[in-house]
Amino acid sequence: MSIPDFARYRLCLDHDLAADVRLPLERDQANYLISVLRMKQDDTVLVFNGRDGEWLAAITVEGRKQASLTLLRPTRAQPPAPDLHYLFAPLKQARLDYIAQKAVEMGAGVIQPVLTRRTQVARLKFDRMRANAIEAAEQCGILSLPEIRAEQSLDAALEALDPGRILVFCDEAMAQESPVAALSRVAPGPLAVLIGPEGGFDAAERARILARPATLPISLGPRILRADTAAVAALALVQAVLGDWPRG
Ligand code: SAH
């Protein structure tokens, strides 16, 4: 992997990126670069959009809150989007912010909120989830932005999964088996991870999840974790055993 350049500010912009393209900045973006980061004419930043890799760009200061960027050259190629779906029962705001950030950092390609019987949150702020995902990607040098999907009922989400996609189901009732042993039995292929709400799944939901043929229930250890902790633990375990490390 090419190590990202963390000396430069990295900015996600929703424009197509190519050599010599000039991109106007929004007022608040220009203000941030000029007034907060104290950038001057021809200083450079890194730009990405989730599609066209990462580019070095030079700033043209046009006013106190007005600036544009000119793309100079590509710095990193666009990596393939991670094929890991993260299904979770949405949590209240601060924890939802955290989940959107951590899912990106841990390499989720699709973020799928799932409504369960004990889900506490009815309406989701997608713009805020997206802003959190983008902020994490900017900070960590991640070039793939996850697709954040509209919420679905648990049944619809199970139905929508490709039958061949292994669903790693975080199930606190599985405490007797090591998750590493369980995950090691899985052949490489498309994966999804499912975490329940703070109140857990009810018995009928758990039975429906387990009835799906390609479901693998795993334990995250003998302690019950909060759902946001469980998200990071589960994604780290799945990435460690089956994830995007080069195999030797
Ligand atoms: N059933 C409990 C805990 C819910 S914790 C309750 O009623 O409070 C929220 C979610 O995190 C669970 O649905 C599960 O998906 C996951 N989780 C938490 N601790 C876990 C563990 N030790 N093993 C597997 N999954 C766990």
Side-chain angles (χ1 to χ4, degrees):
M1 151 182 153
S2 53
I3 301 288
D5 170 2
F6 286 111
R8 286 194 176 83
Y9 184 70
R10 188 177 291 96
L11 190 61
C12 180
L13 292 177
D14 194 20
H15 289 277
D16 292 337
L17 307 178
D20 301 326
V21 164
R22 188 166 178 134
L23 305 172
L25 290 172
E26 311 264 343
R27 261 175 91 77
D28 55 343
Q29 289 169 330
N31 182 47
Y32 188 77
L33 294 184
I34 298 165
S35 306
V36 181
L37 299 182
R38 308 242 163 249
M39 298 197 76
K40 308 264 177 304
Q41 179 69 22
D42 298 328
D43 280 352
T44 51
V45 295
L46 296 166
V47 176
F48 69 105
N49 62 1
R51 308 183 295 274
D52 300 326
E54 182 190 67
W55 290 73
L56 186 70
I59 186 168
T60 303
V61 178
E62 292 152 358
R64 230 164 43 79
K65 293 184 178 180
Q66 214 179 332
S68 62
L69 293 174
T70 303
L71 298 186
L72 301 177
R73 60 179 167 82
T75 46
R76 285 190 297 150
Q78 182 66 35
D83 187 20
L84 174 60
H85 292 206
Y86 173 56
L87 280 61
F88 72 106
L91 306 177
K92 295 215 178 103
Q93 204 54 60
R95 290 174 188 281
L96 189 62
D97 291 348
Y98 177 87
I99 290 220
Q101 294 159 14
K102 300 312 138 188
V104 178
E105 291 169 45
M106 299 308 298
V110 168
I111 298 184
Q112 172 66 68
V114 172
L115 302 179
T116 69
R117 207 169 67 76
R118 296 184 187 141
T119 301
Q120 301 276 334
V121 176
R123 270 198 297 131
L124 281 170
K125 293 186 179 142
F126 284 93
D127 290 350
R128 184 155 166 175
M129 276 175 76
R130 189 163 167 77
N132 273 289
I134 287 175
E135 194 184 295
E138 286 176 340
Q139 227 171 54
C140 299
I142 294 165
L143 299 181
S144 293
L145 294 172
E147 180 190 333
I148 302 180
R149 294 194 178 159
E151 69 271 24
Q152 281 187 313
S153 69
L154 176 64
D155 288 345
L158 292 175
E159 190 67 29
L161 278 180
D162 180 341
R165 184 174 290 274
I166 302 284
L167 178 64
V168 176
F169 165 39
C170 297
D171 182 7
E172 58 274 21
M174 289 301 291
Q176 61 287 5
E177 194 191 17
S178 145
V180 174
L183 290 166
S184 300
R185 292 196 297 273
V186 173
L191 288 171
V193 170
L194 173 64
I195 310 269
E198 289 297 359
F201 292 103
D202 74 13
E205 288 173 333
R206 181 168 178 270
R208 291 206 296 281
I209 298 164
L210 290 170
R212 181 183 177 268
T215 293
L216 178 74
I218 65 162
S219 162
L220 300 173
R223 292 155 298 275
I224 300 292
L225 307 177
R226 297 188 75 141
D228 47 347
T229 317
V232 181
L235 291 168
L237 264 170
V238 166
Q239 292 287 31
V241 181
L242 293 165
D244 40 16
W245 271 279
R247 312 266 146 209

